[in-house]
Structures are given as structure tokens and as C-alpha cells.
Amino acid sequence: MRQENNLAVESMKRGFTLVELLVVVAILGILGAVAVTNVTGHIESTRITAAKTAVDNIKGAVTTWMLNKKKATPPSDLSVLVKADGDEEPALDGGEGALVDPWDSDFKIEVKGKRFVIISAGPDTEFGTEDDIRSDTIATKKK
């Protein structure tokens, strides 16, 4: 009987079996795959939200620039928004980085007479596709 107890104690000291380790690794792999899938989806939706916010900010900066400069038409180049002019502060804070969307593409302005649209190329980084984020299609909240 004493010998059986010694065998049981020695087998417990040896550690995990290969099957037990494989099961643990498989479970960790499944959990990791689920976590990565969830995080990736949230990252993209966060980028889209950031781009929409930036489009709104740039649109407001264009309007501010037009009022400060007493211009009836918007600028054809957005870089004027981040440049200080004499004693005046720039219309948009953040320097040139404020004119780059979350996918590292430059924001674009389309000017049609006195009207203008601010555009981000969106996730595919190509203008004129379905995923473009445009100031004229962003829903405004009614208060």
C-alpha cells in the first residue's frame, strides 16, 4: 500500500501530460482569435468616428477662416487653415497633422461656388468610393 501512495505522489510531481498542455493551448488560441476579431472591429469603427469628427472640425474651421478673412468663397487648399497669419491664430489647431485622416490620407475640399464639402477617403484611402466620409452626408444631431 505504501508503494502505491509513493507512485501516486511521484506522478503528481511530474507535471502536466502532453494532452493537457495541448488542450490548454487550443483553448488559449480560440480565446485569442475571438479577442482579436472583436478588437479589430472596434478599431475600425473608432477610426470612422474620428474621421467624422475631424471632417466636422475642418468644416467649422473653413467657415471661421471665411469669416475672419471676409471671403465669400472657401479656400481651395486646406493648408491655409493651419497657418498663422500675422497676429491671427490658425483657424484649425494641430498643424498639418490635423489635415490627415486616421488612414493617413489628406482630407480634401470640394468647392462649388460658395458651397464646399470636406471629404476623407475613408478606409480604402481612395476618393470617390462608397466608404468616403463627407461633410454633406454626416447626420447632424437635432437638439
Side-chain angles (χ1 to χ4, degrees):
M1 178 105 134
R2 181 136 177 102
Q3 189 176 9
E4 288 176 19
N5 284 341
N6 286 341
L7 286 175
V9 169
E10 281 188 37
S11 70
M12 303 258 305
K13 288 181 181 178
R14 282 189 289 167
F16 298 108
T17 65
L18 181 59
V19 172
E20 290 170 328
L21 288 174
L22 287 175
V23 168
V24 169
V25 168
I27 290 171
L28 290 175
I30 291 168
L31 290 173
V34 169
V36 166
T37 303
N38 286 337
V39 168
T40 304
H42 288 300
I43 290 172
E44 197 58 32
S45 68
T46 301
R47 284 182 175 171
I48 291 170
T49 301
K52 288 178 179 179
T53 301
V55 163
D56 277 343
N57 288 341
I58 294 170
K59 183 178 179 184
V62 169
T63 304
T64 300
W65 181 87
M66 290 170 61
L67 291 170
N68 287 344
K69 301 292 181 189
K70 297 179 176 73
K71 302 271 186 178
T73 57
S76 58
D77 181 14
L78 292 175
S79 65
V80 299
L81 301 176
V82 295
K83 295 177 183 167
D85 204 17
D87 290 337
E88 290 182 22
E89 294 288 321
L92 184 64
D93 290 332
E96 294 290 329
L99 300 176
V100 177
D101 72 11
W103 301 277
D104 292 328
S105 296
D106 291 337
F107 286 100
K108 182 171 120 177
I109 185 169
E110 280 184 3
V111 179
K112 294 177 183 169
K114 294 181 180 185
R115 305 196 77 157
F116 65 93
V117 178
I118 307 299
I119 307 168
S120 164
D124 71 357
T125 67
E126 292 182 29
F127 288 100
T129 57
E130 278 185 14
D131 68 345
D132 288 1
I133 298 167
R134 302 172 51 98
S135 61
D136 59 349
T137 59
I138 296 175
T140 55
K141 293 181 182 177
K142 307 262 181 183
K143 291 187 179 181

